Amino acid sequence: MPANLQPIFALVPETSFATVTAATTDRTGATMTNTVTLLTATTNGTKITQIGAKVAGTNAATLVLIFISDTSGANFKLFDEIALAAVTPSTVITSQRAVTAYADLQLKAGQVVKVGTTVAVSAGVNVFAIKGDY
């Protein structure tokens, strides 16, 4: 018999933010130098529908690296990458923004999402997650 007979929906919708300025090039997850925590899944789990990035100013081309840990908050693995093209914003050119949507990215309690960039961006890259906690 199924454990849950009713569909579940996120109880607490939220947008989490983290700002990255320094570069990391380790895609293995062995060293998390210059990465920042975007979110930690709550007691009943978390569902992520989008992860995106918005550069706060001028940037060279870079990648946003997205890592997800195991339930102990350790042992990170590269989950995804978001490409950001080089842009010099002005009064008529917007700064770079990119978003990846996930149909069903669900995390167990204790899992951590960390993000980093492959090129340092002095203006900062604001990484965000559109999520809901169960």
Side-chain angles (χ1 to χ4, degrees):
M1 178 170 219
N4 187 359
L5 300 175
Q6 303 297 324
I8 61 170
F9 300 96
L11 180 63
V12 182
E14 182 183 0
T15 302
S16 295
F17 287 94
T19 301
V20 182
T21 55
T24 185
T25 55
D26 180 7
R27 286 181 163 89
T28 68
T31 61
M32 299 306 293
T33 305
N34 296 332
T35 62
V36 295
T37 299
L38 180 60
L39 64 94
T40 301
T42 58
T43 303
N44 294 316
T46 297
K47 180 174 183 170
I48 299 171
T49 57
Q50 297 179 29
I51 296 178
K54 175 70 173 168
V55 180
T58 299
N59 69 290
T62 187
L63 296 173
V64 174
L65 304 176
I66 302 166
F67 297 90
I68 299 177
S69 76
D70 57 20
T71 56
S72 69
N75 304 309
F76 287 87
K77 301 292 182 200
L78 181 64
F79 174 75
D80 203 357
E81 299 169 291
I82 299 173
L84 297 174
V87 173
T88 301
S90 68
T91 57
V92 294
I93 299 171
T94 63
S95 60
Q96 181 63 280
R97 181 177 190 269
V99 178
T100 299
Y102 302 100
D104 205 20
L105 174 55
Q106 298 184 54
L107 304 177
K108 291 175 83 173
Q111 285 188 284
V112 176
V113 177
K114 286 193 174 227
V115 293
T117 58
T118 57
V119 175
V121 178
S122 60
V125 177
N126 298 318
V127 183
F128 57 89
I130 310 299
K131 68 180 190 86
D133 296 328
Y134 294 115

